[in-house]
């Protein structure tokens, strides 16, 4: 039985594991396209990931949602709400979103529903999601949900 629920401190270690999977997928999808982005420069740091999870567990303008499948966390969505830098409006932005591949599907839509509801509850007028590289499946998913590509980020190794 799958259910969505707010993450708790007892979920921290599992969320870090999921972020490790997210990081690995990101490296595979994007890391190899960045000149100078070596594995050592982009190495996963569990302590850093744990800090990020704990920051999102605080609530308020930080959000941590998990997909619990039979008592085991199989997905995590971390986000934050903040005032836009150029206009007096609030927006939300996904920090990281990962669902183990075998648990994707309807659960992904439910997680997006919950995230968007949370963003509205924080008076956000826009919700932001990110995709890894040029993944067309993610682009189709977001477009179907009403998201529009608003920015493209470019990265250069220094």
């Amino acid at each position: 039985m799958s259910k969505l629920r707010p993450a708790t401190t007892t979920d921290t270690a599992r969320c870090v594991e999921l972020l490790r999977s997210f990081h690995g997928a990101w490296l595979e999808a994007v890391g190899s396209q960045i000149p100078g982005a070596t594995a050592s420069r982009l190495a996963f740091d569990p302590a850093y990931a744990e800090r990020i999870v704990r920051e999102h567990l605080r609530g308020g303008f930080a959000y941590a949602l998990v997909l619990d499948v039979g008592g085991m966390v199989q997905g995590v969505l971390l986000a934050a709400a903040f005032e836009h830098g150029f206009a007096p409006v609030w927006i939300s932005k996904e920090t990281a979103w990962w669902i183990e591949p075998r648990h994707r599907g309807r659960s992904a839509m439910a997680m997006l529903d919950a995230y968007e509801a949370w963003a509205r509850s924080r008076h956000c007028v826009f919700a932001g999601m990110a995709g890894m590289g040029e993944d067309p499946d993610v682009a189709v998913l977001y477009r179907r949900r009403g998201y529009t590509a608003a920015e493209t980020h470019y990265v250069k190794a220094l």
Side-chain angles (χ1 to χ4, degrees):
M1 180 65 134
S2 298
K3 69 177 180 175
L4 298 178
R5 61 175 175 76
T8 67
T9 55
T10 59
D11 297 317
T12 302
R14 178 62 178 149
C15 286
V16 169
E17 288 178 37
L18 293 171
L19 291 179
R20 181 186 296 277
S21 295
F22 170 82
H23 180 264
W26 182 86
L27 279 177
E28 188 176 312
V30 179
S32 63
Q33 299 171 19
I34 303 170
T38 62
S40 62
R41 288 180 95 176
L42 295 172
F44 182 78
D45 184 334
Y48 189 80
E50 180 177 336
R51 182 180 62 81
I52 289 170
V53 170
R54 290 189 183 280
E55 286 174 2
H56 284 80
L57 287 172
R58 287 191 217 147
F61 292 97
Y63 184 62
L65 177 73
V66 294
L67 170 64
D68 185 314
V69 180
M72 176 67 139
V73 172
Q74 299 292 354
V76 60
L77 192 154
L78 305 176
F82 52 93
E83 196 168 25
H84 191 280
F86 304 119
V89 299
W90 282 78
I91 62 174
S92 64
K93 182 179 177 219
E94 163 241 344
T95 305
W97 183 30
W98 181 261
I99 302 172
E100 292 288 45
R102 69 183 182 277
H103 296 286
R104 294 177 183 171
R106 293 177 195 248
S107 297
M109 298 305 103
M111 289 185 93
L112 279 175
D113 288 341
Y115 162 61
E116 292 168 8
W118 171 82
R120 279 187 206 90
S121 77
R122 297 301 178 267
H123 307 289
C124 294
V125 296
F126 298 102
M129 294 297 293
M132 290 191 257
E134 302 280 331
D135 186 342
D137 293 337
V138 171
V140 168
L141 166 72
Y142 290 157
R143 284 189 195 108
R144 283 186 185 157
R145 294 286 302 206
Y147 289 83
T148 301
E151 293 182 348
T152 301
H153 296 255
Y154 294 89
V155 177
K156 176 182 176 181
L158 301 176

